[in-house]
Amino acid sequence: MSNAYQDARPNNNGQYSGGGDIQDWNPEDNTFWESTGKKVAGRNLWISIPSLLCGFAVWLYWGIITVQMLNLGFPFAKSELFTLMAIAGLTGATLRIPSSFFIRPFGGRNAIFFTTALLMIPAVGTGFALQDMNTPLWVFQLLALLSGLGGGNFASSMSNINFFYPKSQQGLALGLNAGLGNFGVTSMQIIVPLFMTFAIFGGEPMVLENTSGTLIGKIPAGTDSYIHNAGFVWLLLLVPLAFAGWFGLNNLRTQDVSPNIPSPLGAFAGMTGMLGIGFVTAIFGLWLLLPENVNGSGFGVPKEIVLLIVIASTVFLLKKIPGQIGQSLDRQYKIFNNKHTWVMSVIYTMTFGSFIGFAASFPLSIKVIFGYQHIMVDGVMTHNTINANGPSALMYAWMGPFIGALIRPVGGWIADKVGGALVTQICAAVMVAAALGVAYYMQAAYQSATPEEYFVEFFLLFLALFAATGIGNGSTFRTIAMVFNKEQAGPVLGWTSAVAAYGAFYIPKVLGEQIKLTTPEYALVGFAVFYAVCLVVNWFFYLRKNGEFYNP
């Protein structure tokens, strides 16, 4: 063991302190769990949750920032602003691939502390860039790329927490970590609009050209807005969380978790290298994908092919890392030989991929579909007349992710009682129906001069969609915990979350494309078809009586 670490040794009450390494850990032993394990696991969980919350917030705040940039008259087209969310989405998902494998070679404490501290870079950069309306697009694109660090954090966080809890409680523990961590989306959608209304961090305000809003109501045009606070505000949490992570978390040094980790600086260097590979492949994929006018190649490579190239090249390049890291990855890559890794990747994409994709695109979708009148002019349907009666995206958008995150631990708890696959099956059926309903009202609104007439039905069905994704998120984790052994369950949780996280890129991209084609309802119909396929897959592998696993 490196002498840069100190073992965390139990005190007179049998409790381990934070900030050290634990050599013996057996949560399946009930005596150990009740006397020692429960409190240690709880401390690590409750430091992990707000760290993950900040990760989600920094990753997805471009969904809110771009709406306010439109309201303030930043000199960018809607299509250019859509690229910022796409960049953050694809990068964050790609960074989850290396992050999935951080815990074994580098230790949980090291991984959570380092990845949380890195979030200060995009937060500070975004704060400074938003103070100048003449900041070029490429700067915002670079900051959106760095915001992907927040997306990557989820994989290492879930993999780490999985090792602390016995199987019987993993559904609830992982549901709490992910669900309350997902509250970063809701927290961001509430906090950012509120903090943009006053000068807590100084700086000159900008004046709203269009109406804006917060969760408590609309803000009229002509009002001052401190949009740069959208970045700076997260330092209020990230700085104390860095200290809490370093002094409160533990590395588990058991054979099936993190037996051989380097010094802290060595761990940080190793993680930086692995994240660097993710950044390189994400940048290459984005270059292939984006049009030339937004700093892409203009080749127009289909997004599905780009995703395959990015995922495959990231996995391949990580495998080529020499030394101890490469050896650790060889062992963890055995998950790819298990068919259930791929099955659960598809099912989790249905639940979490939808949650994160809809959370990313919901604000701008409300703005574009209901914030403008859709009027026929000289035989051509136009979509650029501001709708004075339209709902404020910043007033409503937070509610969907709030419900999805709030109900996620409930999904894990119910799945622990009645089985994960059964709960997932019910959620899939609800998602098919809700997506088709949303599609119907999207079509009606986007052809209407008074789209606000369809908002209530659209909004309630979308809330049902968010609720189903949240419950399904919790139930799929239960299934993973039961199907895979302890060593593989952590990396599988990370890997499936990485694949599913591409929803944060794919769903806004599809919605943006279909809105441009004036057929946004086609996107939701396509998603409903995918959910129906997942319903069949889940039944075939996990709900057939003669299957390898039944209702795990």
Side-chain angles (χ1 to χ4, degrees), residues 4 10 26 79-80 155 161 215 224 247 267 300:
N26 184 16
S79 59
E80 291 175 327
I161 290 302
L215 81 164
D224 286 347
F247 293 107

Side-chain angles (χ1 to χ4, degrees), residues 50-92:
S51 301
L52 188 54
L53 182 148
C54 287
F56 272 102
V58 172
W59 182 27
L60 296 180
Y61 58 25
W62 293 104
I64 294 294
I65 291 172
T66 51
V67 170
Q68 194 74 334
M69 290 171 78
L70 279 175
N71 292 334
L72 289 166
F74 272 72
F76 304 117
K78 294 176 191 174
S79 59
E80 291 175 327
L81 294 178
F82 260 112
T83 67
L84 299 182
M85 196 58 247
I87 290 169
L90 186 141
T91 307

Side-chain angles (χ1 to χ4, degrees), residues 373-377 380-385 446-449:
Q373 291 179 294
H374 312 290
I375 302 173
M376 193 74 73
V377 178
V380 178
M381 181 65 76
T382 63
H383 307 278
N384 52 11
T385 303
Y446 211 60
Q447 302 298 320
S448 173

Side-chain angles (χ1 to χ4, degrees), residues 19-211:
D21 290 2
I22 296 177
Q23 301 289 344
D24 298 307
W25 188 257
N26 184 16
E28 301 298 340
D29 180 333
N30 191 60
T31 301
F32 171 84
W33 176 250
E34 292 296 331
S35 65
T36 302
K38 184 187 294 186
K39 289 185 178 179
V40 176
R43 184 182 66 242
N44 280 266
L45 174 64
W46 290 104
I47 294 174
S48 175
I49 286 171
S51 301
L52 188 54
L53 182 148
C54 287
F56 272 102
V58 172
W59 182 27
L60 296 180
Y61 58 25
W62 293 104
I64 294 294
I65 291 172
T66 51
V67 170
Q68 194 74 334
M69 290 171 78
L70 279 175
N71 292 334
L72 289 166
F74 272 72
F76 304 117
K78 294 176 191 174
S79 59
E80 291 175 327
L81 294 178
F82 260 112
T83 67
L84 299 182
M85 196 58 247
I87 290 169
L90 186 141
T91 307
T94 304
L95 294 182
R96 286 191 177 191
I97 298 176
S99 297
S100 300
F101 306 106
F102 278 175
I103 304 305
R104 185 171 183 84
F106 305 123
R109 172 202 183 203
N110 295 338
I112 306 308
F113 163 78
F114 183 65
T115 55
T116 303
L118 284 177
L119 298 175
M120 297 181 201
I121 299 173
V124 171
T126 299
F128 281 115
L130 287 171
Q131 292 186 61
D132 185 359
M133 199 169 287
N134 296 315
T135 301
L137 180 64
W138 71 265
V139 174
F140 288 115
Q141 289 178 319
L142 175 62
L143 290 166
L145 189 84
L146 292 173
S147 295
L149 288 164
N153 289 8
F154 183 87
S156 54
S157 178
M158 294 301 288
S159 180
N160 182 51
I161 290 302
N162 171 73
F163 291 121
F164 278 93
Y165 281 84
K167 278 185 178 290
S168 62
Q169 298 187 33
Q170 283 176 357
L172 178 59
L174 293 171
L176 284 170
N177 191 49
L180 299 182
N182 287 169
F183 266 114
V185 183
T186 300
S187 302
M188 174 271 296
Q189 291 178 340
I190 294 173
I191 289 172
V192 167
L194 285 175
F195 273 78
M196 288 192 292
T197 62
F198 57 95
I200 185 174
F201 297 104
E204 293 298 318
M206 297 179 185
V207 179
L208 288 170
E209 293 185 359
N210 298 320
T211 57

Side-chain angles (χ1 to χ4, degrees), residues 67-391:
V67 170
Q68 194 74 334
M69 290 171 78
L70 279 175
N71 292 334
L72 289 166
F74 272 72
F76 304 117
K78 294 176 191 174
S79 59
E80 291 175 327
L81 294 178
F82 260 112
T83 67
L84 299 182
M85 196 58 247
I87 290 169
L90 186 141
T91 307
T94 304
L95 294 182
R96 286 191 177 191
I97 298 176
S99 297
S100 300
F101 306 106
F102 278 175
I103 304 305
R104 185 171 183 84
F106 305 123
R109 172 202 183 203
N110 295 338
I112 306 308
F113 163 78
F114 183 65
T115 55
T116 303
L118 284 177
L119 298 175
M120 297 181 201
I121 299 173
V124 171
T126 299
F128 281 115
L130 287 171
Q131 292 186 61
D132 185 359
M133 199 169 287
N134 296 315
T135 301
L137 180 64
W138 71 265
V139 174
F140 288 115
Q141 289 178 319
L142 175 62
L143 290 166
L145 189 84
L146 292 173
S147 295
L149 288 164
N153 289 8
F154 183 87
S156 54
S157 178
M158 294 301 288
S159 180
N160 182 51
I161 290 302
N162 171 73
F163 291 121
F164 278 93
Y165 281 84
K167 278 185 178 290
S168 62
Q169 298 187 33
Q170 283 176 357
L172 178 59
L174 293 171
L176 284 170
N177 191 49
L180 299 182
N182 287 169
F183 266 114
V185 183
T186 300
S187 302
M188 174 271 296
Q189 291 178 340
I190 294 173
I191 289 172
V192 167
L194 285 175
F195 273 78
M196 288 192 292
T197 62
F198 57 95
I200 185 174
F201 297 104
E204 293 298 318
M206 297 179 185
V207 179
L208 288 170
E209 293 185 359
N210 298 320
T211 57
S212 181
T214 68
L215 81 164
I216 57 176
K218 286 188 174 182
I219 300 174
T223 306
D224 286 347
S225 176
Y226 298 85
I227 189 173
H228 55 275
N229 289 351
F232 291 140
V233 67
W234 300 106
L235 297 177
L236 299 178
L237 289 174
L238 289 171
V239 172
L241 278 173
F243 284 95
W246 187 249
F247 293 107
L249 295 174
N250 297 102
N251 295 315
L252 296 181
R253 299 294 297 271
T254 60
Q255 189 59 40
D256 55 357
V257 184
S258 305
N260 299 299
I261 59 177
S263 67
L265 289 179
F268 302 156
M271 285 184 277
T272 300
M274 291 176 69
L275 289 171
I277 289 174
F279 273 120
V280 168
T281 57
I283 290 169
F284 179 65
L286 289 164
W287 179 76
L288 288 175
L289 183 79
L290 294 176
E292 199 169 357
N293 67 317
V294 288
N295 304 312
S297 65
F299 294 163
V301 180
K303 54 190 172 296
E304 293 83 4
I305 293 177
V306 168
L307 291 183
L308 289 174
I309 291 172
V310 171
I311 294 171
S313 59
T314 305
V315 171
F316 174 78
L317 291 174
L318 287 171
K319 187 94 162 43
K320 296 300 179 182
I321 297 176
Q324 185 176 321
I325 296 175
Q327 293 171 8
S328 175
L329 289 177
D330 280 341
R331 180 164 176 153
Q332 295 183 80
Y333 270 27
K334 291 177 181 178
I335 64 172
F336 298 129
N337 298 327
N338 189 331
K339 66 183 178 185
H340 294 286
T341 299
W342 306 103
V343 174
M344 290 309 305
S345 295
V346 172
I347 294 173
Y348 193 54
T349 296
M350 173 187 70
T351 57
F352 181 76
S354 298
F355 170 84
I356 206 66
F358 291 140
S361 57
F362 200 34
L364 209 50
S365 295
I366 293 174
K367 176 73 177 178
V368 171
I369 295 172
F370 297 94
Y372 295 87
Q373 291 179 294
H374 312 290
I375 302 173
M376 193 74 73
V377 178
D378 297 329
V380 178
M381 181 65 76
T382 63
H383 307 278
N384 52 11
T385 303
I386 292 175
N387 181 14
N389 298 317

Side-chain angles (χ1 to χ4, degrees), residues 509-534:
K509 195 81 171 63
V510 171
L511 273 170
E513 291 170 354
Q514 292 303 319
I515 286 172
K516 190 174 182 180
L517 294 171
T518 72
T519 54
E521 68 276 8
Y522 286 7
L524 271 294
V525 171
F527 299 149
V529 171
F530 173 66
Y531 302 151
V533 171
C534 291

